[in-house]
Structures are given as C-alpha cells and as structure tokens.
Amino acid sequence: MIIERGKRAMRSPIILSRATVERFPQVMPGVLICITIALATTFIADHYGGPTLLYALLFGMALHFLSEEGRCVAGIEFSSRTILRFGVALLGVRITVEQVTSLGIGPIVTVVAGVVLTIFAGVLLAKVLGLHRDMGLLTGGAVAICGASAALALSAVMPRGANSERNTILTVVGVTTLSTAAMVLYPLIVSVLSLTDQQAGVFLGGTIHDVAQVVGAGYMISEETGDVATFVKLMRVAMLVPVVMCFILLYRNAEGSQNSGKIPRLPGFLVAFVVLVIINSLGAIPATVADGMTDLSRWCLVTAIAGLGIKTSFQKLAVVGWKPVILMVSETLFLLGLVLSFIMFGLVSL
C-alpha cells in the first residue's frame, strides 16, 4: 500500500488535475486538519517566537493516530505530497539565475560527489553488514538523492525478488525517520560550526534526505539559507534521472526486471520550480504577484510539514531490524561528513 501510494504521488503533476478535483471531498477532512495546525503554529510563532515549521512538525506528530485510518488519511497524504510540491514549486519566484550563478561550481561538485560516493558507500557497507547489494544500492540512492521518493523510483527499476517490497518499505520508513531527525538536529550543527547562511544552505540542502525537511530546516535559520538549501536540494532531486538510468542499465539483463524499458521523467514540481526561476530572472513577475506567491508558498509548506508530522512515527523504526538501520545511519553520517569536509576545507567556493 505504501509503495503504490508513493508511486501514484510521484506521477501526480504539480498542477491540480481533474482527478484531484474529483477527490476533493475525500481529501478535504485531512487537509483541514493540516491547515488548522498551520494556523495554530503560525499564531504561536508570531506571538511567542520560534520556528513555525518546527512547531508544525511537532504538533503534527502529536496527532499521528490520524494517519493510521479514518477520513483524514487521504487529506494528510495529499497535504504532505501534492501541497508540498506546489509550495516548493512556488519558491521559484524567490530565486533568480543571478543568485544561482553567484554560488559558483562548488554546490554542483558537492551534489554530484555526494550522490555518487554515497551510493558506492552504501554498496560497501551492505557487504560489510552481510546484506544484499541491492539493499545497499536502494538505501544509498535514497539517502543520497531525495529520500522516500528516490527509494520508490529506484525500486521500480530494480529486479523483483522475495524481499523487494519489504526492503522498499524499510527504506522509506528509515530515511523518512532519519530525515525528520536531521531537520531538527542539523540546524544545531550549523549553529555550533558558525556556518554562513550560504554555507548552511549548501550543508542542509546537500545532506538532508527529503525535500520537505530541507525546506523546513533551511527556513528555520534564515530566508537566504532556505533559498540556497532549496536550490541545492533540487539539484540532488535532478540527479534522480541519471541515477535511475544507471540502475536501468545495471539491471537491464537481470532476470525478473520488468521495467527496464521505462525512461524516468523529471518530477513535475522540479520543472515548475525551474520555469518560475527563469521567468523571475527575466523580471516578468510583478513584485506584488511575487509577494503573493511567496506567501502562498509559505502557507503550503507549513501545511505540508504538518501533514508530514502526522505521518511520522518513530515507533515504526523498531520493526526494520538493526542491520538496515545501521546501514542507513552510516550512509547518512557518511554524506554528512563528506559535505562538511567540502565546506570546512574550502573545497566548496562560496
């Protein structure tokens, strides 16, 4: 069920489709719950201070039972995926090509090296732990690229075996849990190391697994950090295409592979984000419209983070077994150390 819902979400376009409109009565209860959390946490943050997105995450986690069954499940899923992607796409109005080019070649080198080396590290660590190579490839790709979405995309082109579905579910649960923990802990590392806003953006965007948590952690620190983190993270998401193609080539002759002829497409929200960046760079978006889209994006992200919090249960990590947990934690720490090394030793020019 988790896999099928994930695949359907990945195929969903950023623009609301007819099918989405028809599902409106089904998703409305869960969406209203997430919006209510967004309103409550925004009120608390505005009046008493503190990060709105973190409040939304914690409030959502307190209502985890709503994601198990009932009328709210569909709306919570819709909020944490479709509304999230819509909000991330709208962030394109905050960024211009000039800002991107000012970052230099460093972030690109960091992203490519992080993805490639983390996947290789996953394969080696899986061998050391006595796990199958496929588990190392799957978890390494999920950690290196974009968390649960990458796990679902990569598993779709890997050979089917007796444990394929189980491994995918374990990976989705594991990387989601680790990514949520990183969203809370990594900003503390930024503070301890006294990283600049741009360095913090590269660090957060280059290390945290899922887009939602990158956006949440980045904008907890500052708007500039959030913008840089989002751009770096979306570069990692774009790496999903060449990595999936490499997996297709790797498994094209494998027995049981039924998806070797499929060519992956870029996620719709990534395409929309890039298009808005280009339009904004041309000065075609009036300031008032850009401000309105920015505010809408902010509300979408807070709503999505609330949905993500509702879906998060640390108790589920207990069922994955210790070896896959050690594997994913080790891959996460490897990526963390690699990106920090690039930043701290001046290999990333900012």
Side-chain angles (χ1 to χ4, degrees), residues 41-50 52 298:
T41 54
T42 299
F43 176 85
I44 292 173
D46 289 345
H47 288 77
Y48 300 100
T52 306
R298 175 177 173 273

Side-chain angles (χ1 to χ4, degrees), residues 47-63:
H47 288 77
Y48 300 100
T52 306
L53 293 173
L54 180 58
Y55 289 158
L57 178 70
L58 297 176
F59 273 48
M61 291 175 65
L63 299 175

Side-chain angles (χ1 to χ4, degrees), residues 63-80:
L63 299 175
H64 171 68
F65 66 92
L66 293 175
S67 68
E68 298 294 336
E69 59 182 355
R71 297 177 58 195
C72 296
V73 174
I76 293 168
E77 186 73 19
F78 181 84
S79 298
S80 64

Side-chain angles (χ1 to χ4, degrees), residues 8-342:
R8 289 197 298 269
M10 288 179 63
R11 293 195 293 265
S12 300
I14 192 66
I15 305 300
L16 296 181
S17 63
R18 180 180 177 182
T20 301
V21 174
E22 292 175 350
R23 289 181 59 226
F24 185 78
Q26 299 176 2
V27 304
M28 199 58 195
V31 171
L32 285 176
I33 290 292
C34 295
I35 291 175
T36 301
I37 294 174
L39 290 170
T41 54
T42 299
F43 176 85
I44 292 173
D46 289 345
H47 288 77
Y48 300 100
T52 306
L53 293 173
L54 180 58
Y55 289 158
L57 178 70
L58 297 176
F59 273 48
M61 291 175 65
L63 299 175
H64 171 68
F65 66 92
L66 293 175
S67 68
E68 298 294 336
E69 59 182 355
R71 297 177 58 195
C72 296
V73 174
I76 293 168
E77 186 73 19
F78 181 84
S79 298
S80 64
R81 291 187 178 274
T82 303
I83 293 180
L84 166 67
R85 283 156 173 75
F86 187 74
V88 171
L90 290 178
L91 288 175
V93 301
R94 299 174 55 91
I95 302 173
T96 65
V97 173
E98 182 180 359
Q99 291 174 324
V100 172
T101 55
S102 68
L103 294 176
I105 193 66
I108 298 176
V109 174
T110 303
V111 166
V112 174
V115 170
V116 173
L117 295 178
T118 301
I119 293 176
F120 277 113
V123 174
L124 293 176
L125 288 167
K127 184 177 181 180
V128 171
L129 292 169
L131 297 171
H132 196 278
R133 183 192 65 169
D134 288 358
M135 191 65 179
L137 287 169
L138 181 62
T139 57
V143 168
I145 303 173
C146 54
S149 297
L152 295 168
L154 295 174
S155 67
V157 299
M158 296 176 71
R160 293 297 167 198
N163 297 322
S164 297
E165 183 172 327
R166 184 203 66 182
N167 290 343
T168 302
I169 294 174
L170 297 184
T171 303
V172 168
V173 173
V175 296
T176 300
T177 302
L178 289 170
S179 191
T180 301
M183 176 183 170
V184 177
L185 297 176
Y186 284 13
L188 299 178
I189 296 177
V190 170
S191 178
V192 170
L193 297 178
S194 300
L195 300 180
T196 66
D197 285 342
Q198 285 193 337
Q199 288 176 326
V202 174
F203 169 63
L204 297 175
T207 54
I208 299 179
H209 309 329
D210 288 321
V211 176
Q213 287 90 337
V214 169
V215 172
Y219 287 103
M220 281 182 198
I221 297 175
S222 70
E223 291 187 358
E224 182 180 1
T225 297
D227 290 344
V228 174
T230 301
F231 168 67
V232 173
K233 179 59 186 178
L234 290 177
M235 283 199 298
R236 286 172 66 195
V237 174
M239 287 291 291
L240 181 62
V241 173
V243 170
V244 170
M245 289 180 175
C246 288
F247 273 47
I248 290 173
L249 294 174
L250 179 64
Y251 290 111
R252 63 181 177 178
N253 295 321
E255 184 179 356
S257 178
Q258 301 176 4
N259 300 287
S260 58
K262 293 185 179 180
I263 299 177
R265 297 178 297 176
L266 284 173
F269 73 95
L270 174 62
V271 175
F273 177 90
V274 173
V275 169
L276 284 175
V277 170
I278 294 173
I279 294 175
N280 190 40
S281 301
L282 297 174
I285 302 179
T288 54
V289 175
D291 290 341
M293 295 175 72
T294 299
D295 289 339
L296 178 59
S297 173
R298 175 177 173 273
W299 281 106
C300 286
L301 294 176
V302 177
T303 302
I305 290 291
L308 184 71
I310 295 174
K311 290 172 58 180
T312 300
S313 173
F314 287 103
Q315 293 179 345
K316 290 183 179 179
L317 190 61
V319 304
V320 304
W322 66 271
K323 286 187 177 181
V325 171
I326 291 177
L327 176 61
M328 286 181 275
V329 170
S330 299
E331 291 164 345
T332 299
L333 293 176
F334 174 84
L335 182 61
L336 170 67
L338 181 67
V339 174
L340 272 181
S341 297
F342 271 69

